[in-house]
Amino acid sequence: MDPGEQSAAQSATTTRPMKRGSEYAVLLRRVRDAGLLDRQLRYYLGKTAIVVGAFVAGWAAFFLLGDSWWQLAVAVFLAAVFAQFAFLGHDAGHRQIFGTRRANYLYGVLAGNLAIGLSIGWWTSNHNRHHAHPNTEGADPDIMGILAHSDGRARTGKGFRRFIFRHQGWLFFPMLLLEAGSLHFSSVRAVFKWPIPNRVWEGVLLAAHFAGYLAAVFLVLSPGKAVVFILVQQGLFGFYMGCTFAPNHKGMAVLAEDDATDFLRRQVLTSRNVRGSLLVDTALGGLNYQIEHHLFPSMPRANLRRAQPIVIEFCAEIGVPYCQTGLFDSYAQALQHLHSVGKATRPVLSEPLALGGLSGDTVPICGDVPDGNTKIST
């Protein structure tokens, strides 16, 4: 952990004397003692076998159906399978699967570059910046894109960007249909312009994916059906990925670039969990345990659910709000936040609300916290 992430930002109520810098170390020790940082290779082998089997079955159905509009059903199925590959690539990027960097990277380029056309080198670099500075203006690439996450950024919008900011609550879900295209574009651009490792091999595998994908689609389908198939499959792939990311941080605390909040609070206060079940955990790739994932990025996905009670208990001990809500409530909160921020583009603005070390114009909203009743204080 970066020593700079250990500085103090606010006082905490604890059940025993504990220095701010030592709090994360105490939690880390509890999690490690519970064996939750141990690799779960059998879990990932089983998960990989299922996803690869679904991938092969989807493309087999594609070739068997031939030039038919029933291929749109295959497009929907493959969109979901691509997302599951993305989750596996995500886990490999965080070194959750194997014990060595090389093995995780090799898995990642196969699942990312070759299977679905996303550069693991670009994604790892970009995503690590997000983990180091979640919801931090000027530092987190995930809140520096086409949407505004704070009033201050919304006020800077001009022209078309200002239009997007103003209506972002309404445009959010439609824009997710373009997410896959954005991810592919960023991957290709990174191979040409970013100093990512193994640039040549990443480029070769990306080219192999796009060549194989386009050749299969246009050889089997008529040009019109091929275009519709690609639009549906890629559009829904991006929509699925966006719906997975949306609950995680939108509507939670936004930190100023010079904020000194310590590592533990930075990760917890900027993240929101979605209540889990076998279906939710599978559909969201385990990212519904966003707080635990941010606190322990290398923790195998299968252990996140087991780590949650430990984290909840510890947050209650030190007086840190822990945000958890239902899936649909999380979307409602995210959209409410985007809509509220979009109002900042209007001529009449209200004064920002101060909130300690957090960005003054963004207040976290939430549902459940440890005792199921307390709300995050504003």
Side-chain angles (χ1 to χ4, degrees), residues 158 196 243 291 296:
K158 296 180 180 179
I196 60 175
C243 287
I291 294 174
F296 311 103

Side-chain angles (χ1 to χ4, degrees), residues 159-179:
F160 182 67
R161 184 175 291 273
R162 184 178 181 86
F163 173 84
I164 295 292
F165 288 168
R166 178 173 294 187
H167 302 286
Q168 61 183 8
W170 296 103
L171 295 174
F172 175 69
F173 282 114
M175 287 193 299
L176 291 184
L177 294 170
L178 304 176
E179 179 68 13

Side-chain angles (χ1 to χ4, degrees), residues 108-130:
V109 293
L110 293 176
N113 296 56
L114 184 60
I116 61 176
L118 301 184
S119 165
I120 191 67
W122 162 75
W123 177 87
T124 300
S125 175
N126 198 65
H127 194 61
N128 284 347
R129 291 165 57 204
H130 160 69

Side-chain angles (χ1 to χ4, degrees), residues 154-239:
R155 293 174 191 136
T156 66
K158 296 180 180 179
F160 182 67
R161 184 175 291 273
R162 184 178 181 86
F163 173 84
I164 295 292
F165 288 168
R166 178 173 294 187
H167 302 286
Q168 61 183 8
W170 296 103
L171 295 174
F172 175 69
F173 282 114
M175 287 193 299
L176 291 184
L177 294 170
L178 304 176
E179 179 68 13
S182 174
L183 294 172
H184 292 314
F185 174 78
S186 296
S187 295
V188 173
R189 180 180 59 184
V191 166
F192 283 101
K193 296 185 176 181
W194 283 32
I196 60 175
N198 307 303
R199 179 200 306 270
V200 173
W201 283 111
E202 292 233 5
V204 168
L205 291 174
L206 281 178
H209 166 80
F210 293 126
Y213 180 91
L214 293 174
V217 172
F218 280 97
L219 284 174
V220 171
L221 301 177
S222 64
K225 290 188 181 75
V227 170
V228 174
F229 178 91
I230 293 172
L231 290 175
V232 171
Q233 196 270 327
Q234 292 292 316
L236 291 181
F237 168 42
F239 187 85

Side-chain angles (χ1 to χ4, degrees), residues 75-154:
V76 174
F77 178 76
L78 286 176
V81 174
F82 271 39
Q84 292 297 320
F85 262 117
F87 296 147
L88 290 172
H90 166 272
D91 293 359
H94 281 298
R95 304 181 201 172
Q96 295 177 15
I97 302 176
F98 301 103
T100 66
R101 179 197 298 265
R102 182 184 296 273
N104 281 299
Y105 179 77
L106 178 60
Y107 186 102
V109 293
L110 293 176
N113 296 56
L114 184 60
I116 61 176
L118 301 184
S119 165
I120 191 67
W122 162 75
W123 177 87
T124 300
S125 175
N126 198 65
H127 194 61
N128 284 347
R129 291 165 57 204
H130 160 69
H131 268 264
H133 305 283
N135 266 25
T136 302
E137 292 190 317
D140 181 359
D142 287 2
I143 66 168
M144 295 160 57
I146 195 170
L147 302 177
H149 294 262
S150 69
D151 292 358
R153 184 157 190 267

